[in-house]
Amino acid sequence: MDKPLQFYSTNLKSDNLSFHEALLKGQAPDKGLYMPLVIPFIPIEEIESFRTMEYREIAFHVTKRFLAGEIPDTELKEIARDSYDFDVPLEKVFGRNYIMRLDHGPTASFKDFAARMMGRLMQYYLRAGNRRLLILTATSGDTGSAVANAFYGLETIDIVVLFPKAEVTDRQRKQMTTLGKNVKVLALDAKFDDCQALVKQAFADPSLDYLQLSSANSINIGRLIPQTVYYFYAYAKLALPGEQIIFSVPSGNFGDMMGGVMAMKMGLPVSRFIIATNENDEFPNYLLSGKYNKIEPSRNCISSAMNVGHPSNLARLLSLYGGMMDEKGNILRAADMDLMRKEIWSTRVTDEETRNTIGHAWKEWKLLLEPHGSVGFTGLMKYIGEDETLPGEGRLCVSLETAHPAKFPVEIQKMTGIVPPLPPSLQGIDHKPEFFEQFPNHYPDFKTWLLENYK
Ligand SMILES: *Cc1c(COP(=O)(O)O)cnc(C)c1O
């Protein structure tokens, strides 16, 4: 097999690691994020050959570039096949403008794409090393359910999810609490930040080292690599020979857009990324001014999974453009802003615009969007309006829909008058039995609970 690719930490103070070491570690010891030392390249002829392949085959060919030498092809093929057993619809809106629906996975959010492959890769490496891992995750909704579902039933991994009781919807809770087996769920009478603080305290507690704690949030490089694949997929299925493509990505913690930007650096012919944020607009402001000011506390918008005032993946983005940002958001070296502005265009979308687009898209094109996808589509509409060289009917544009409309029935009914039908993955969930414990927001109790449950 080939020599494995090395991964460096964006803070440049930790040792380089191979993919599987970085995957099992999560965050680098210097609090930086792992990035590939070299971005692998896929020639255009090979990208064109993806045209006739299924999603899972494309996933194999793309992720293989990062994992060569670290997993046999047969295993990786099997993991891709097992991870992607659902549709990835590309829906035409008008002209050459499309929506890519990344919401047909088991928890109806795009986070399924990364979580499913990451869980299976972790399982492979843990089995090979005869090891176990305990994943701790604090969630305000989508991450917890995607990770819990993706890791459910894997025999080398236990998972504990902490969530703020009052801050998740019934359906979000049930996506986590109806599983059982290796998934344990704790409901706290607290805020999301409190849950996150308990998890961080456990990570920093040396007396828990024996538990091999790890995290599954988007700081993990294992979440990022599978997110390069759907950009190749959309291009292969829609582009004419020699054509370039524009993507619009609704963004919060910027893991999704980093997958896209890496795909572009791997050779995918992308002419531009449109990065649409909600009212947490630290990134559009940074792109304009070169100055970065995080938003504390983050602003509450209806696209709630994007309420992030300091996206951790920005450290990766700056690194790709020759800059350096530490985990607190200080820019230690400026990035190549001219190149970044050439390749990325960014805009902020208010809640009012988000709602109006949901109503307008339904009326005009019978296009059903939920708040996150609406932020992305609004970004695309603004870009088409602003870029005079881009007649709306002319060039190929794909906007990402990151959650299923049925997860947000109230907003959608208000703006369109219809009740979005439940996808198969959410059907029946309302009546399944739930397993979870009510838990105090108190670290000593949490630690005792971990010690007793995972000896
Ligand atoms: C997490 C999430 C996002 C934001 O993705 P990032 O990678 O954090 O930018 C957007 N939409 C939905 C539905 C999400 O769950």
Side-chain angles (χ1 to χ4, degrees), residues 108-111 141-143 146 172 218 223-224 227 230 249-259 275-276 303-308 311 313 370-373 400-404 407-408:
S109 121
F110 93 99
K111 291 191 170 70
D142 280 348
T143 293
Q172 281 177 320
S218 69
R223 286 265 303 262
L224 218 59
Q227 287 173 184
Y230 41 79
V249 188
S251 293
N253 208 22
F254 286 73
D256 198 356
M257 79 90 89
M258 269 312 296
I275 301 305
S303 47
S304 55
M306 303 184 341
N307 292 339
V308 182
N313 278 294
E370 54 71 57
H372 306 83
L400 275 48
E401 175 52 289
T402 49
H404 195 282
K407 288 181 119 176
F408 305 88

Side-chain angles (χ1 to χ4, degrees), residues 154-167:
L154 300 182
E155 73 246 18
T156 53
I157 303 175
D158 291 303
I159 163 153
V160 177
V161 185
L162 288 76
F163 73 93
K165 225 170 81 183
E167 289 178 28

Side-chain angles (χ1 to χ4, degrees), residues 27 30 44 96 130 173 209 247 280 366:
Q27 192 167 35
D30 64 7
I44 188 68
R96 302 268 292 140
N130 203 9
R173 188 188 68 246
D209 277 354
F247 284 106
N280 293 281
K366 288 282 169 284

Side-chain angles (χ1 to χ4, degrees), residues 10-76:
T10 51
N11 280 347
L12 302 178
K13 291 201 194 83
S14 296
D15 293 339
N16 294 346
L17 298 179
S18 65
F19 171 76
H20 89 267
E21 293 167 318
L23 171 77
L24 297 180
K25 209 165 216 103
Q27 192 167 35
D30 64 7
K31 299 204 165 70
L33 307 188
Y34 286 109
M35 276 292 279
L37 209 47
V38 180
I39 304 284
F41 187 75
I42 306 187
I44 188 68
E45 301 76 47
E46 184 174 344
I47 297 174
E48 305 259 339
S49 78
F50 294 166
R51 207 172 290 273
T52 54
M53 290 183 195
E54 289 188 47
Y55 189 91
R56 56 185 67 165
E57 293 175 84
I58 300 174
F60 164 71
H61 287 284
V62 173
T63 57
K64 179 176 131 110
R65 304 290 169 145
F66 293 95
L67 312 188
E70 287 208 85
I71 183 168
D73 282 0
T74 48
E75 294 281 351
L76 186 58

Side-chain angles (χ1 to χ4, degrees), residues 121-151:
L121 284 168
M122 279 183 163
Q123 162 105 327
Y124 170 78
Y125 292 118
L126 290 168
R127 260 196 202 137
N130 203 9
R131 289 174 58 190
R132 295 188 66 78
L133 215 58
L134 176 60
I135 303 271
L136 300 185
T137 297
T139 186
S140 55
D142 280 348
T143 293
S145 50
V147 169
N149 275 271
F151 287 46

